[in-house]
Amino acid sequence: MIPLIVSNILAYFVMIAANTINWPIESQVNQYYFNDAEKIIKSMPNLEVVGITGSYGKTSTKHMLETVLSSQFNVLMTPESYNTKMGVTKTIRTMLKPITKSSLQKWALSKSMIFRKSVS
């Protein structure tokens, strides 16, 4: 019984030591990914971003907005409940693609058509 208690206590302290040693390394790796995502976002000056905040219903609202907006716009939605800084960073780095000239022209055309419809 005593060796089991001692081994559990030792395992606890080994885990604490490993996390303490790993934390600065993990922070640097995360910061690299955050900076990379920030560069990607800054390279797209015409990018429109919609943020959804609140206590309840964020994921449902996100899905409804994506459905409505994707009929007229090129939309990227974070998958599942990726609503943390690292989840959004992963989405930006893996799924956000630059808008090509032809898709930008299609987007501008659809945007001007929406504007004309709403004005008249």
Side-chain angles (χ1 to χ4, degrees):
M1 182 73 159
I2 298 290
L4 181 62
I5 293 172
V6 171
S7 66
N8 284 339
I9 292 172
L10 181 62
Y12 172 78
F13 284 109
V14 167
M15 184 179 69
I16 295 295
N19 283 336
T20 303
I21 292 167
N22 190 43
W23 182 77
I25 299 165
E26 188 173 340
S27 295
Q28 285 182 336
V29 169
N30 288 348
Q31 192 60 47
Y32 168 79
Y33 290 130
F34 299 148
N35 292 342
D36 188 46
E38 188 175 33
K39 281 185 223 170
I40 293 169
I41 294 293
K42 286 183 178 179
S43 73
M44 301 177 183
N46 296 323
L47 184 68
E48 296 285 337
V49 178
V50 175
I52 302 168
T53 63
S55 300
Y56 302 102
K58 293 182 295 292
T59 302
S60 300
T61 303
K62 176 177 75 168
H63 285 283
M64 286 188 288
L65 274 175
E66 191 268 340
T67 301
V68 170
L69 294 175
S70 64
S71 66
Q72 296 288 325
F73 303 103
N74 186 10
V75 176
L76 172 64
M77 175 185 73
T78 55
E80 301 166 6
S81 293
Y82 280 29
N83 54 5
T84 63
K85 186 176 179 181
M86 188 52 89
V88 173
T89 298
K90 180 179 179 181
T91 303
I92 291 168
R93 294 186 72 243
T94 59
M95 300 173 74
L96 185 63
K97 304 296 180 216
I99 298 174
T100 62
K101 189 172 183 177
S102 63
S103 63
L104 183 61
Q105 289 169 346
K106 289 178 191 171
W107 178 83
L109 179 62
S110 66
K111 185 126 177 148
S112 66
M113 292 172 76
I114 291 170
F115 180 71
R116 283 189 211 128
K117 287 179 187 174
S118 64
V119 170
S120 48

